[in-house]
Amino acid sequence: RARWSVPMDTMTRPEIVGDMVMTSVRTGTGAASRAEVVALDLADGRTLWSEDAHELAYVGAARDGDIVVFIENVGAQGGARRVGHVHAVVPRTGRVLWEYEIQGVLGHPAMVSGLVFIPWDRQNIAVLDARTGLEQARLRSTDDIIDWIDARPEGVFYGSKAIYRLDNRSASGTKAGSTFLAPLLPAAPGEPLVHTDGFLPAPGTR
């Protein structure tokens, strides 16, 4: 039974963020068209707020209590321009709490216990205070790629084809020194991903 339906020109796969649904849409036509990040009420589909994507690609959002953090980037697939935007907002109003722009590519964030975890240039994870945006720590991988990070009740996990658990051993920045699970089938047909690539927008049709 359908709860609600809203016609939208979605550019990215909608995701549930607490009591909201977030996605990006194309508005306008021709030279006047632009991309916007949109938050909808999960209960009835009405638009709560929207934000200009600044000609960047929306890659996703995370929520911890009364703070939502979302990321936009450009340059994840190469090119001379490499820019990442991170925004922290009040969920139901979109009021900005803090935001940053960096000359690098940021990935889909994760949040837990008042901290924001953001993959950065496929080699780092920045750990920010959710309320202030101030960096608390940074993890750097020296011998593997970081494509995604995910926060669950069981812990915080990250990686690419391997799965790492974020713990004290992660500070080593190496496979051998970290808690990780290597792919059980390294030559599986089609090389299936263990997690969506957090640096690429998830198409709305997939």
Side-chain angles (χ1 to χ4, degrees):
R1 181 174 64 89
R3 296 289 297 272
W4 49 264
S5 177
V6 179
M8 306 181 80
D9 186 8
T10 54
M11 301 175 64
T12 52
R13 182 178 61 209
E15 58 182 339
I16 295 175
V17 185
D19 59 358
M20 305 188 311
V21 178
M22 292 188 63
T23 186
S24 61
V25 301
R26 175 71 64 184
T27 62
T29 58
S33 69
R34 66 176 189 174
E36 290 185 344
V37 178
V38 178
L40 308 176
D41 192 316
L42 181 61
D44 56 20
R46 65 187 173 90
T47 298
L48 297 173
W49 52 267
S50 62
E51 168 74 24
D52 189 345
H54 308 98
E55 299 183 347
L56 303 179
Y58 169 74
V59 294
R63 181 171 179 173
D64 184 31
D66 58 355
I67 299 176
V68 166
V69 170
F70 66 93
I71 301 290
E72 302 153 337
N73 73 31
V74 67
Q77 293 181 302
R81 188 182 179 210
R82 297 173 60 80
V83 177
H85 281 190
V86 53
H87 311 260
V89 301
V90 176
R92 304 287 293 183
T93 67
R95 179 174 63 85
V96 176
L97 300 173
W98 50 264
E99 57 188 356
Y100 294 115
E101 176 180 319
I102 72 160
Q103 299 305 305
V105 182
L106 302 176
H108 194 298
M111 296 181 70
V112 68
S113 300
L115 296 173
V116 186
F117 301 86
I118 303 176
W120 172 19
D121 279 346
R122 299 189 187 275
Q123 196 170 18
N124 307 280
I125 296 174
V127 185
L128 311 182
D129 183 297
R131 299 222 165 260
T132 65
L134 298 178
E135 189 173 36
Q136 306 298 297
R138 187 181 304 175
L139 182 153
R140 180 178 177 85
S141 175
T142 60
D143 59 4
D144 202 358
I145 301 298
I146 300 174
D147 285 335
W148 54 269
I149 188 162
D150 195 5
R152 298 176 176 268
E154 298 82 4
V156 177
F157 303 89
Y158 62 96
S160 179
K161 294 181 179 179
I163 303 173
Y164 293 79
R165 182 185 182 95
L166 185 65
D167 58 21
N168 290 339
R169 302 183 66 204
S170 299
S172 71
T174 65
K175 284 185 181 180
S178 301
T179 304
F180 86 105
L181 176 68
L184 301 181
L185 294 173
E191 297 185 359
L193 301 174
V194 297
H195 197 285
T196 304
D197 188 331
F199 288 87
L200 301 178
T205 56
R206 293 183 62 184

